[in-house]
Amino acid sequence: MDGFRLFPQYLTPEAQTCLVDDLRQRLAQSPLYQPVTPGRKPMSVRMTNLGALGWCTDTTGYRYQPLHPLTAQPWPDIPTCLMKLWADLADSAVPPDACLVNVYGPEARMGLHQDRDEADFRFPVVSVSLGDTGIFRIGGLKRNDPTQSIRLASGDVCILSGRARLAYHGIDRILAGSSRIWPGGGRVNLTLRRAAPFV
Ligand code: MD3
Ligand code: FE
């Protein structure tokens, strides 16, 4: 898929540990919760957000919003190391305003979907994986296009831009116990995005 770039082990073990600490502090303020889809199905992935805007779903639909749905507080800030990562790899002029935090237990998965809730698809999405390896699947612009399967391990970073930005993708399964970096085990995926238009 052109527009998909994988940077295996972009984050050193030290950088990963530092990011885990940054996240644990912020998750204490902005708890993970189990989102529900507009089709009323609870997702198996737990979520929270960082940044000015957070991606949320409930029975009324998908949207970006400035407040945590349970605490009604603003989302915590995006850690400096992630702001720098975006500036280095994605766009040095326009910063991300949203960082979705997905946490996968051993049984969690994410079905094939497109990310279309952002205002301007010219901005890429940057994904950072931590903890257990995830089996990621990416296809084309149509749901039934052929797909390929890629392992995303702790410290891997990928960028989705151009045609890949609107590709169908999902997480088939988690290789439980493949990393010890996330306390209690599991996989964490951080997606940095520009949700609002840049005027
Ligand atoms: C391909 N997250 O949060 S990250 C999501 O591992 C999401 O939690 C997955 O799909 C996860 O929406 C996959 C890699 C990724 C992120 C965004 C994409 C792949 C993408 C946007 C367009 C195409
Ligand atoms: Fe997605």
Side-chain angles (χ1 to χ4, degrees):
M1 188 69 195
D2 56 77
F4 175 81
R5 285 194 296 162
L6 176 63
F7 299 85
Q9 299 301 294
Y10 189 84
L11 297 183
T12 63
E14 295 71 31
Q16 294 173 48
T17 304
C18 178
L19 187 50
V20 166
D21 289 343
D22 288 344
L23 288 174
R24 286 172 55 77
Q25 289 176 26
R26 287 164 175 79
L27 267 50
Q29 305 303 314
S30 191
L32 293 168
Y33 66 97
Q34 188 174 23
V36 176
T37 66
R40 301 185 182 275
K41 293 196 198 306
M43 294 182 73
S44 57
V45 177
R46 292 181 302 147
M47 294 183 171
T48 190
N49 289 273
L50 308 173
L53 291 170
W55 185 87
C56 293
T57 174
D58 62 21
T59 55
T60 69
Y62 305 135
R63 66 188 159 275
Y64 279 94
Q65 62 182 51
L67 303 179
H68 191 292
L70 302 183
T71 67
Q73 295 301 303
W75 308 103
D77 64 333
I78 300 174
T80 314
C81 63
L82 294 178
M83 296 298 283
K84 178 170 169 11
L85 189 144
W86 170 282
D88 291 344
L89 295 181
D91 191 324
S92 55
V94 181
D97 58 3
C99 178
L100 174 61
V101 181
N102 294 327
V103 179
Y104 296 77
E107 302 295 320
R109 49 206 65 217
M110 187 176 284
L112 268 193
H113 66 277
Q114 291 175 299
D115 290 16
R116 333 191 36 120
D117 299 313
E118 300 76 25
D120 187 342
F121 303 135
R122 289 173 302 181
F123 292 107
V125 175
V126 175
S127 152
V128 178
S129 292
L130 288 174
D132 290 339
T133 296
I135 312 292
F136 172 66
R137 178 184 295 275
I138 185 164
L141 301 180
K142 291 180 300 205
R143 178 173 289 279
N144 292 322
D145 285 343
T147 61
Q148 59 173 307
S149 191
I150 294 160
R151 285 181 181 219
L152 295 178
S154 194
D156 290 356
V157 172
C158 61
I159 304 197
L160 299 306
S161 61
R163 286 168 61 75
R165 176 65 184 77
L166 287 172
Y168 276 89
H169 61 278
I171 294 288
D172 289 338
R173 63 193 177 88
I174 302 303
L175 303 183
S178 51
S179 164
R180 298 181 177 283
I181 200 163
W182 188 252
R187 171 172 185 267
V188 180
N189 185 263
L190 304 157
T191 44
L192 295 160
R193 302 148 188 271
R194 182 77 202 182
F198 186 72
V199 193

